[in-house]
Amino acid sequence: MELSSEIFKWFTDPEYIILYGGLALISAIIFAENGVFFALLLPGESLVFLTGVFCHMGLLPHSLPVTLLAVYAAAFGGHQFGYYFGVRSGQWLLRQEDSYLIKRKHLALARAYYRKYGVWTILVGRYIPVVRTLAPILAGSFGMKHSVFTLYNFISTTLWAIPFLLLGYFAGAVVPNPQRYLPLVFIGLVVIILIPLLKPLIPKSWLAFFQHRAEENDN
């Protein structure tokens, strides 16, 4: 029982992963959590943030550029792997007849949604656990162009991996026990990044309403 508990911590507790697995295990976990369908419960932002903290504390025997490059490559590569897996498995999925779990009309609706909003799903889904893992698989399954997916994978990786790791690195320099404030850091950073990404999805009537209310308050 104790052995199984230790193994579970190795793959789900960010501090265990960093201290006992080093950069190799960090990269493997980030890769899997960003595109391997059975890795839904692995840590994401918390691992990236604490990697930055521990890098500053010297508990990782690697420089910041090397750590950042490894984390970035793992996150980008995980999404690419998920996309290719979706491309290969998607054709099998789309050939299935109606069953209790698979309905062709649902698959058709999902494909239409990805063709219309797939780009935003890749960008915004990066900040949502579970969605982050499944989004690239679904993008590949429902036919998002490889060049389009790769471009937005690059953008979303840049907006996800780099801010969380650098924030952890610099928080380790000025905040005692910064891991205690991880939930607040996560919420604040996600809100800042997602506002400009979500704006195109907000109906214009809503934007006009809020603008009108703001003008009334000013008067």
Side-chain angles (χ1 to χ4, degrees):
M1 190 67 177
E2 290 184 3
L3 178 59
S4 62
S5 177
E6 286 296 313
I7 294 175
F8 183 76
K9 280 188 175 182
W10 262 68
F11 292 99
T12 59
D13 187 312
E15 291 193 33
Y16 264 64
I17 293 169
I18 296 168
L19 293 176
Y20 299 105
L23 194 56
L25 185 58
I26 292 170
S27 299
I29 296 292
I30 292 173
F31 178 94
E33 201 266 345
N34 274 271
V36 180
F37 71 94
F38 57 78
L40 299 172
L41 299 180
L42 296 179
E45 294 87 1
S46 59
L47 178 58
V48 177
F49 179 82
L50 289 179
T51 297
V53 173
F54 285 23
C55 179
H56 178 270
M57 295 171 63
L59 298 176
L60 280 173
H62 306 284
S63 65
L64 177 61
V66 170
T67 303
L68 183 58
L69 179 61
V71 169
Y72 188 96
F76 181 86
H79 250 38
Q80 291 296 119
F81 174 85
Y83 175 85
Y84 290 124
F85 179 84
V87 170
R88 298 297 297 270
S89 65
Q91 296 305 313
W92 170 84
L93 187 64
L94 296 174
R95 286 197 300 266
Q96 299 305 299
E97 299 296 329
D98 278 354
S99 65
Y100 180 75
L101 295 176
I102 300 174
K103 301 292 185 183
R104 294 186 66 82
K105 64 178 182 179
H106 295 163
L107 294 174
L109 287 173
R111 172 186 273 183
Y113 177 85
Y114 258 86
R115 284 179 174 172
K116 190 172 183 179
Y117 300 112
V119 162
W120 298 106
T121 304
I122 300 303
L123 290 174
V124 177
R126 203 70 183 242
Y127 302 91
I128 307 172
V130 178
V131 175
R132 177 169 52 250
T133 306
L134 296 179
I137 299 173
L138 294 176
S141 296
F142 296 120
M144 180 180 287
K145 289 181 63 176
H146 175 260
S147 58
V148 173
F149 175 81
T150 300
L151 172 62
Y152 284 93
N153 180 19
F154 171 78
I155 295 172
S156 67
T157 301
T158 301
L159 294 176
W160 182 78
I162 295 178
F164 277 109
L165 191 137
L166 291 181
L167 193 60
Y169 185 86
F170 292 112
V174 298
V175 181
N177 299 319
Q179 57 267 37
R180 293 182 180 179
Y181 306 99
L182 181 58
L184 294 177
V185 170
F186 170 71
I187 293 172
L189 192 58
V190 167
V191 168
I192 291 171
I193 294 175
L194 286 189
I195 286 176
L197 295 181
L198 289 174
K199 187 176 179 180
L201 299 180
I202 300 175
K204 293 183 178 179
S205 59
W206 292 12
L207 293 175
F209 171 77
F210 288 122
Q211 184 177 3
H212 178 70
R213 295 287 295 185
E215 291 174 353
E216 286 184 346
N217 291 335
D218 290 340
N219 295 330

